[in-house]
């Protein structure tokens, strides 16, 4: 019995951290970014594992589910990009392992017009870590410096 309790106590931190969102510093984000943009959220949508659009606001994400919530980012300015063309609107996936409903995220971003720094990677324009891609505009100069140093 004692061994079981010790094992459970050892595993609690791992389980507790499993549901936390990912985090990244500005330095990590800027150094790993292929695209540094200025944009704002113009919508929220959800797709299932086959890419089919889901409109039910009660539809959820989380472990065992294949749904992905995406923030639709309207690009206002391209500051740096490895791509020849950057789409005007980019659907950027959030972390699908977290328990959220489509309606919950739509409500959180309703009327959101704030311009932000958007740091993405790869040809599919995804977050540096799942769901980690937005920074305040005040980070712009430092992000560009860090990015330039990492991408000579």
């Amino acid at each position: 019995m004692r061994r079981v309790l010790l094992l459970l106590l050892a595993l609690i931190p791992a389980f507790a951290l499993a549901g936390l969102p990912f985090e990244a510093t500005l330095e990590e984000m800027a150094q790993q970014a292929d695209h540094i943009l200025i944009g704002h959220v113009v919508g929220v949508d959800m797709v299932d594992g086959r890419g089919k659009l889901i409109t039910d606001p009660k539809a959820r994400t989380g472990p065992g589910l294949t749904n992905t919530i995406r923030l639709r980012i309207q690009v206002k300015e391209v500051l740096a990009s490895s791509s020849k063309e950057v789409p005007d609107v980019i659907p950027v996936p959030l972390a699908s392992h977290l328990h959220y409903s489509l309606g919950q995220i739509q409500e959180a971003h309703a009327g959101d017009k704030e311009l932000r720094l958007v740091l993405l990677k790869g040809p599919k324009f995804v977050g540096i870590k799942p769901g980690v891609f937005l920074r305040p505009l005040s980070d712009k100069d430092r992000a560009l410096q860090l990015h330039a140093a990492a991408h000579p």
Side-chain angles (χ1 to χ4, degrees):
M1 181 66 163
R2 189 176 195 183
R3 287 183 184 167
V4 172
L5 288 174
L6 288 173
L7 179 63
L8 286 174
L9 286 174
L11 292 176
I12 287 173
F15 287 119
L17 293 174
L20 293 177
F22 294 104
E23 292 183 15
T25 64
L26 176 60
E27 185 173 22
E28 289 175 297
M29 293 175 74
Q31 290 173 345
Q32 294 177 35
D34 295 313
H35 320 281
I36 301 180
L37 318 166
I38 294 176
H40 66 93
V41 178
V42 293
V44 177
D45 67 18
M46 178 185 272
V47 292
D48 67 13
R50 291 176 294 212
K52 182 181 175 220
L53 197 62
I54 297 173
T55 58
D56 179 3
K58 293 180 183 175
R60 300 192 63 78
T61 61
L65 300 173
T66 61
N67 300 335
T68 301
I69 296 175
R70 307 179 302 183
L71 295 186
R72 300 184 54 76
I73 305 294
Q74 172 75 54
V75 176
K76 293 294 184 182
E77 184 178 349
V78 177
L79 302 174
S81 181
S82 62
S83 180
K84 291 179 183 173
E85 287 192 35
V86 175
D88 291 336
V89 177
I90 303 172
V92 184
L94 299 180
S96 60
H97 73 284
L98 299 175
H99 295 276
Y100 290 117
S101 71
L102 174 59
Q104 184 180 13
I105 302 301
Q106 285 173 327
E107 185 177 311
H109 290 281
D112 188 355
K113 300 290 183 205
E114 181 181 352
L115 287 176
R116 294 184 179 96
L117 200 58
V118 183
L119 296 101
L120 303 170
K121 67 179 180 180
K124 293 187 177 184
F125 297 87
V126 296
I128 301 304
K129 293 183 180 177
V132 178
F133 55 91
L134 297 174
R135 298 289 299 203
L137 270 183
S138 60
D139 288 343
K140 174 183 159 185
D141 292 338
R142 183 71 180 133
L144 289 173
Q145 289 172 345
L146 291 165
H147 181 266
H151 299 87

